[in-house]
Amino acid sequence: MAGLELLSDQGYRVDGRRAGELRKIQARMGVFAQADGSAYIEQGNTKALAVVYGPHEIRGSRARALPDRALVNCQYSSATFSTGERKRRPHGDRKSCEMGLQLRQTFEAAILTQLHPRSQIDIYVQVLQADGGTYAACVNAATLAVLDAGIPMRDFVCACSAGFVDNTALADLSHVEEAAGGPQLALALLPASGQIALLEMDARLHEDHLEQVLEAAARAARDVHTLLDRVVRQHVREASTLLGD
Amino acid sequence: MARRHEAPRLPGLVQTRGGAQEKPIELPAVAAAAVAAGAAAAQADDARARGRGGAVGAGATRADDVRRAGRLGSMASVALSEAEKVYIVHGVQVATPRRQPPGFPWRCGWRRALASLGRRRPGGVLGLPDSLSFSVASPCSSANATPEFEGRGGDDLGTEIANTLYRIFNNKSSVDLKSLCISPREHCWILYVDVLLLECGGNLFDTICIAVKAALFNTRIPRVRVLEDEEGSKDIELSDDPYDCIRLSVENVPCIVTLCKIGYRHVVDATLQEEACSLASLLVSVTSTGVVTCMRKVGKGSLDPESIFEMMETGKRVGKVLHASLQSVLHKEESLGPKRQKVGFLG
C-alpha cells in the first residue's frame, strides 16, 4: 500500500481504532419542533440531520399516489461546507440523487407502507459534515427520525460500512480509509430478523472474503442498533417525564 | 403561565468548526456559526402578556416599546385563522411596554441557520479590483426547513437572502476588504458565505445575519507572503504555522433588525404566527454604533412614511443592544478556548 498504512502490525487503524470498532456515536431525537419527526446523529466526525414529514396527502401530482401503500420520498443533500473542498450544489447532483434512491429503497423495506395507502412520507436527510460513512449515518439518523414521527416500522434499520484491508475486514470506514480506494461495502440491516434492507459494494473483492466483510458490517450494524435503541429509550423516558407520567 | 422565553438561557449559538473538521482541508479552519435558540412560538396568550422584545440567538435585549410580527417573502406557511390573527394583533397593540434590564436575552424561536465561510484564492485573476471579494453564495434552504423547499422550491428565498446579504456585506464600510487582498489587482481571497437554513420560525434575516457575523468573527485566514523573483513573476507562499493567520475585523459588520408592523404597533423578532398577521415589515441593517447601512421594505402591505421613521429609530436602538450582546457572547465563547461547551443539536 502506497503511503498510508491503514492497518498497523499491531492491528490498529489510522485513527487508533481496532478493526471491528465503531467510531463514537451520539444521537438525539426530536431536534426540531416543526417537523413530524427529526433526529441528529454524529458518527465520529460525520454529522447528519434527518427530518420526516408525514404520512400526509400526496404533494404535487396525484398520479404518483399508490393505491395499496404509502409513497416514500427521500431527499439527500449535503451542505456546501460538509467536505474539505467546497461543494457547489448541495443537492440535485448525481451522487445526491443516487443516495436519495438508496435511502428510499432502504426505508420502503422497513416502513409498513401498506398501512397508509395513497399517502406520502417525506424523509429529508442533510449531511452537515462528511467524514466517511455518510450513507450509514443518513440511514441511522433517518431511522431515529421515522421512529420520532411515530411511523410504524418492521424494525430499526441500522447501517454500517465495512472495508477490507490486509486480509482484515474493517468496520465503519472513515474518510481516509474510504479515500484509499479499497473495497467498500454499505449494509443496512434489520437487526431483529437479521434481514438485509440494502447491500452495496464498490470496487473488487474476492468472493472468499465477502462473507468476512459482510459479517463485520453486520456485527457493526448490530452494535449500532444497541446504541440507537438506547437513544430511543432515553428519548421516550424524557418525553414521558415531561408529560408527568 | 409558563414563561419559557424568559429563562435567562443564553443560547450559546456559536459552534465553531475550526477544530471539528478533521478532514484535510486545503485551507484550514472553516468557520461556522450555528444560531440556534430556544423560545416558544408566541402563543397568543403569552404574546399579550409578556410584551417582550426581540429575540436573537446571540442573546440581545428587548426593546421597550415593541412586540412582534410580519411575514417575509415565501416562507414556511403557517395556518392561522382570522380570529387568531385578530387575537395576536390586539395582543400586540395592547401590550404595555415594560422596561427590561439591558442584556436581557433574546431568543429566536424555531429557526436555526448555519453559516459557514470558505476561502478560496483565485490564481492570477487579472483585472481584479484592489480587493473586492466577498461572495455570498446561494444560501441553501434545505428541505429540512419545510417540505416546500424540496427540489428547487427554496431557490427564490435563497436568491432573496443572498442578494440582501450581498448588498449588506460586500462593501468597504462593513468588511475590511483591503485585508483580503494578497497582491493588488492580481490575487485576493474570496470569502464564500454559505448559509444553510434548517428550520423556519420567523425572523429569518436577523438570525442569518447574526450567524454570518459570528462566522466572520470566527474566520481565520492563513497569512501568505508574496515572493517576487528577478523576472518579475510572483510566487505565493503559505505560512507553515497553522496558527499564523489574520482575522477579520467585525467591528463595522452590520446586523439586520427586522421590524414588523402589526396593527398600529411594530415589533422586532416576530414569530411565524406574528409574521403571518403583519402587513409589511422593514429590514434595517444597523452597525454597532447605530448607523443604518441598508433598509428594505418587505411584505405585501404598505407603510406610512411616519411609521418608517419610527421603526428606524427602534431598529437603531435594538441594533445597538443586539451588537453589544452578540459581541460579548462571542468574546466570552472565545475566551473559554477549548473548554468551550459545544452547543449543537446534542446540547
Side-chain angles (χ1 to χ4, degrees):
Chain A
M1 181 117 341
L4 202 63
E5 188 187 42
L6 290 179
L7 194 68
S8 72
D9 298 335
Q10 289 78 27
Y12 289 105
R13 289 154 69 174
V14 179
D15 46 10
R17 285 183 286 159
R18 289 273 182 192
E21 206 173 322
L22 291 173
R23 291 175 291 177
K24 185 180 181 183
I25 294 183
Q26 286 179 294
R28 190 163 171 201
M29 289 168 80
V31 287
F32 292 136
Q34 279 178 339
D36 292 315
S38 57
Y40 171 73
I41 199 165
E42 281 183 13
Q43 263 178 272
N45 281 323
T46 303
K47 295 168 188 174
L49 196 59
V51 175
V52 171
Y53 290 91
H56 55 72
E57 250 181 274
I58 293 274
R59 202 170 272 127
S61 155
R62 301 225 152 252
R64 293 197 304 156
L66 304 169
D68 56 337
R69 59 198 167 90
L71 178 84
V72 180
N73 174 36
C74 291
Q75 185 185 291
Y76 165 90
S77 52
S78 62
T80 42
F81 47 83
S82 63
T83 46
E85 185 86 9
R86 182 174 172 273
K87 277 186 69 172
R88 258 173 196 286
R89 294 180 67 181
H91 52 79
D93 58 328
R94 200 194 286 241
K95 193 181 158 250
S96 305
C97 290
E98 192 199 354
M99 196 70 110
L101 215 62
Q102 287 178 347
L103 285 171
R104 182 180 169 167
Q105 283 173 10
T106 313
F107 281 92
E108 271 177 346
I111 295 174
L112 298 172
T113 47
Q114 68 277 14
L115 294 180
H116 304 286
R118 294 181 299 283
S119 49
Q120 177 178 350
I121 297 167
D122 290 320
I123 302 175
Y124 300 124
V125 190
Q126 174 90 46
V127 171
L128 299 179
Q129 194 172 327
D131 183 27
T134 43
Y135 169 75
C138 288
V139 168
N140 296 335
T143 303
L144 291 178
V146 171
L147 285 170
D148 188 38
I151 295 170
M153 288 212 287
R154 254 177 270 281
D155 193 2
F156 279 75
V157 198
C158 298
C160 199
S161 58
F164 192 72
V165 171
D166 298 340
N167 285 315
T168 319
L170 306 181
D172 196 14
L173 301 182
S174 71
H175 176 75
V176 181
E177 287 159 341
E178 274 183 6
Q184 190 183 325
L185 182 118
L187 173 84
L189 191 77
L190 304 173
S193 56
Q195 287 189 339
I196 289 169
L198 186 121
L199 178 67
E200 202 202 15
M201 198 175 76
D202 309 341
R204 203 172 60 159
L205 179 73
H206 196 278
E207 201 187 334
D208 295 349
H209 300 310
L210 182 63
E211 203 181 328
Q212 191 191 344
V213 179
L214 204 59
E215 181 51 40
R219 204 178 320 116
R222 284 203 190 85
D223 291 344
V224 171
H225 172 244
T226 320
L227 292 164
L228 296 190
D229 190 61
R230 202 179 294 163
V231 171
V232 174
R233 280 175 201 280
Q234 175 71 23
H235 178 75
V236 173
R237 210 173 299 130
E238 277 168 17
S240 57
T241 335
L242 281 178
L243 286 172
D245 289 341
Chain B
M1 193 189 70
R3 310 185 72 171
R4 281 178 279 180
H5 50 276
E6 286 199 16
R9 197 185 97 203
L10 270 185
L13 52 155
V14 185
Q15 194 180 30
T16 333
R17 289 169 18 104
Q21 182 111 3
E22 267 156 65
K23 294 201 7 222
I25 326 172
E26 49 162 7
L27 298 163
V30 173
V35 176
Q43 283 98 14
D45 61 339
D46 61 358
R48 188 169 51 179
R50 68 199 164 177
R52 81 156 191 282
V56 191
T61 5
R62 138 199 162 76
D64 332 314
D65 53 347
V66 284
R67 276 274 39 231
R68 22 178 51 224
R71 181 178 155 116
L72 299 167
S74 54
M75 227 149 282
S77 59
V78 50
L80 225 54
S81 72
E82 261 333 289
E84 283 172 306
K85 283 186 183 174
V86 170
Y87 195 54
I88 293 180
V89 171
H90 286 185
V92 167
Q93 292 180 347
V94 170
T96 31
R98 280 187 301 145
R99 278 223 162 256
Q100 287 280 354
F104 182 77
W106 286 16
R107 299 295 197 68
C108 293
W110 294 325
R111 57 209 92 119
R112 284 151 187 268
L114 278 172
S116 127
L117 299 182
R119 298 170 307 275
R120 200 55 49 84
R121 182 166 45 77
V125 184
L126 285 172
L128 217 63
D130 255 10
S131 56
L132 154 127
S133 280
F134 197 83
S135 117
V136 178
S138 64
C140 142
S141 312
S142 117
N144 281 14
T146 154
E148 287 156 37
F149 290 162
E150 198 188 338
R152 308 197 68 81
D155 285 7
D156 289 349
L157 182 63
T159 320
E160 193 186 342
I161 295 170
N163 290 343
T164 310
L165 289 180
Y166 197 71
R167 209 170 303 147
I168 292 172
F169 288 110
N170 189 29
N171 57 60
K172 279 185 201 133
S173 56
S174 32
V175 184
D176 182 20
L177 295 175
K178 279 252 156 58
S179 63
L180 295 175
C181 177
I182 296 168
S183 62
R185 299 194 175 272
E186 277 175 17
H187 294 95
C188 67
W189 291 102
I190 294 181
L191 284 183
Y192 286 102
V193 179
D194 291 315
V195 178
L196 177 62
L197 204 61
L198 296 176
E199 197 172 22
C200 281
N203 206 19
L204 203 55
F205 283 88
D206 298 20
T207 314
I208 289 172
C209 214
I210 289 167
V212 173
K213 185 170 176 178
L216 280 174
F217 175 79
N218 203 252
T219 304
R220 279 161 181 80
I221 301 167
R223 213 181 286 275
V224 287
R225 265 187 304 276
V226 183
L227 306 170
E228 203 168 340
D229 58 16
E230 305 88 62
E231 290 147 30
S233 64
K234 285 176 182 166
D235 203 19
I236 292 178
E237 195 185 78
L238 201 68
S239 170
D240 292 331
D241 180 12
Y243 294 101
D244 185 21
C245 46
I246 52 170
R247 300 185 60 172
L248 288 170
S249 155
V250 290
E251 203 107 300
N252 298 322
V253 175
C255 269
I256 299 180
V257 177
T258 310
L259 299 124
C260 289
K261 190 88 181 166
I262 304 181
Y264 55 78
R265 305 285 295 260
H266 55 266
V267 305
V268 294
D269 187 34
T271 59
L272 214 51
Q273 283 85 346
E274 286 169 326
E275 284 184 352
C277 322
S278 109
L279 289 170
S281 41
L282 194 70
L283 282 178
V284 192
S285 82
V286 195
T287 62
S288 51
T289 49
V291 178
V292 175
T293 59
C294 174
M295 198 169 74
R296 226 186 110 201
K297 192 227 114 197
V298 281
K300 52 190 183 298
S302 51
L303 291 172
D304 194 86
E306 216 168 278
S307 68
I308 289 187
F309 286 112
E310 236 174 73
M311 285 157 97
M312 268 174 69
E313 282 310 310
T314 314
K316 275 189 211 171
R317 200 175 54 240
V318 172
K320 272 196 212 170
V321 191
L322 170 62
H323 275 287
S325 319
L326 178 62
Q327 210 45 259
S328 72
V329 168
L330 290 177
H331 283 294
K332 208 172 111 201
E333 282 273 310
E334 201 181 50
S335 63
L336 288 174
K339 281 181 293 178
R340 179 178 56 92
Q341 203 185 347
K342 273 200 184 165
V343 179
F345 296 101
L346 297 170

